[in-house]
Amino acid sequence: MPELPEVENVIRSLVNKVSGKKIASVEIITPSIVYKRTDFIDLVKDKTIVTLERRGKYIIIRLDEGNLLIHLRMTGKLLFNGEIGKHTHLKIDFTDGNYLIYNDVRKFGRINYLSNDELNIYLKTKVGLEPGLMELEAFKTKLMNKRGPLKKILLDQTVIAGIGNIYADEILFASGIHPLTETSKLKDEDYIILFDNIRGILEKAILAGGSTIRDYVNGDGTAGGFQDAHQVYGRGGKECICCGCTLEKIKVAGRTTVYCPICQRIR
DNA sequence: CCATACACCTGTGTGC
DNA sequence: TGCACACAGGTGTATG
Ligand SMILES: [Zn+2]
């Protein structure tokens, strides 16, 4: 489900509701979503949530001691006082009677307890540049050191963190760059356009509440609105909004990729 | 080293 | 209607 804009909206919808709350109990309904740690419940129980943060597609629940690191993968949801059902896999009860649940139809998501040091090491090795904070030169250097189709590189979370299949296609279309372009063929001006579109599209998507293709909702249960602004994602075979020609559908790095053969030239 | 396949799961849409 | 199959916002591991 969620890419950076959706994860950001989950956090924004929850941060004021859960910060300061003390955890009274934790119920693990589906053990497979919690990384093996026999003392998980003991580590989390009686802790207080300090705040929520995001790195790439990860949600970090900062506790007064340690952290919960959550990845929603495809269909994970974090819901404040949400409806408990057959897809609820974890429940955190607060001392004031409110609760937070983790729902996930496909059970791909993961929740882990990490100390501050463990978290820092993990993020340093696995999570790349933060789109909203990165600088052009660092971005350019990092991309130039990678070979292969540009879309594959945009999807690589160790390069830039947070871009998934929807936003990769939207960013490339907005930039007028073909998804199979090799970074060695990109000119300085291409890097600037790409950089601006990564930040611009992700920011617009955040402000629109993210994209709801099927079932994404934020922590309140509110769906996003950015799906109405998609130019190419999910539109293979339809006409290009810009030039009217037929949008192509191919596979890149194993993912369905839609682009306009006229508007997005190979460099 | 790389690219591809598959595994993890369930639900939904399509075509016969 | 029913059934088989393809496909889905992601990523880690195995395979060639
Ligand atoms: Zn076009």
Side-chain angles (χ1 to χ4, degrees):
Chain A
M1 166 180 42
E3 304 180 30
L4 185 152
E6 292 76 38
V7 176
E8 180 65 26
N9 272 282
V10 170
I11 288 173
R12 290 186 185 186
S13 65
L14 290 173
V15 64
N16 292 328
K17 294 184 176 172
V18 303
S19 295
K21 294 215 187 300
K22 186 175 178 183
I23 295 167
S25 63
V26 181
E27 186 184 355
I28 299 173
I29 300 153
T30 306
S32 61
I33 62 133
V34 177
Y35 278 98
K36 275 186 186 160
R37 189 139 196 176
T38 51
D39 51 355
F40 181 86
I41 289 174
D42 291 334
L43 287 165
V44 178
K45 191 173 161 6
D46 297 327
K47 298 292 194 302
T48 296
I49 295 180
V50 176
T51 191
L52 304 185
E53 290 171 17
R54 182 188 58 71
R55 270 291 277 129
K57 300 175 191 171
Y58 285 96
I59 296 167
I60 302 163
I61 299 183
R62 293 214 173 266
L63 305 172
D64 50 359
E65 187 188 345
N67 311 273
L68 289 175
L69 184 65
I70 301 174
H71 199 302
L72 305 173
R73 294 280 179 97
M74 293 287 266
T75 53
K77 297 177 183 59
L78 215 46
L79 297 166
F80 185 74
N81 293 344
E83 192 177 340
I84 295 162
K86 65 189 256 195
H87 299 303
T88 303
H89 306 301
L90 184 122
K91 182 168 185 258
I92 293 173
D93 278 295
F94 299 116
T95 52
D96 64 1
N98 290 296
Y99 61 88
L100 192 62
I101 50 173
Y102 179 75
N103 285 8
D104 192 342
V105 169
R106 295 176 73 178
K107 294 184 258 186
F108 287 172
R110 292 292 180 267
I111 301 175
N112 196 6
Y113 177 93
L114 295 172
S115 70
N116 290 342
D117 285 348
E118 288 167 339
L119 178 67
N120 289 339
I121 291 166
Y122 186 87
L123 294 177
K124 204 169 184 177
T125 55
K126 303 262 187 179
V127 186
L129 297 175
E130 193 58 44
L133 304 174
M134 66 185 182
E135 290 181 32
L136 179 61
E137 283 310 307
F139 164 77
K140 197 172 149 183
T141 305
K142 216 153 186 195
L143 262 69
M144 287 193 311
N145 288 330
K146 289 278 174 181
R147 281 163 295 125
L150 181 56
K151 177 168 175 182
K152 179 179 154 69
I153 298 169
L154 292 180
L155 291 173
D156 184 340
Q157 301 301 300
T158 67
V159 178
I160 307 162
I163 300 172
N165 205 33
I166 294 175
Y167 297 105
D169 279 8
E170 294 299 323
I171 288 163
L172 288 167
F173 177 77
S175 303
I177 301 175
H178 193 290
L180 296 177
T181 305
E182 297 280 329
T183 49
S184 59
K185 299 282 168 49
L186 292 174
K187 294 175 181 152
D188 281 358
E189 61 181 65
D190 294 322
Y191 279 107
I192 293 169
I193 290 168
L194 193 56
F195 180 84
D196 287 346
N197 278 306
I198 288 170
R199 299 178 65 140
I201 288 183
L202 293 177
E203 185 59 29
K204 277 183 202 158
I206 289 170
L207 294 175
S211 299
T212 297
I213 300 303
R214 180 175 230 111
D215 57 15
Y216 162 74
V217 289
N218 71 9
D220 297 329
T222 307
F226 196 72
Q227 64 282 357
D228 297 335
H230 292 174
Q231 310 281 291
V232 285
Y233 177 82
R235 300 192 63 250
K238 294 184 179 164
E239 63 179 39
C240 174
I241 286 163
C242 186
C243 74
C245 77
T246 304
L247 295 174
E248 299 262 352
K249 185 160 91 167
I250 58 171
K251 290 270 183 194
V252 179
R255 314 295 300 280
T256 295
T257 298
V258 179
Y259 69 97
C260 174
I262 305 295
C263 299
Q264 294 170 261
R265 325 184 312 281
I266 287 219
R267 296 299 194 267

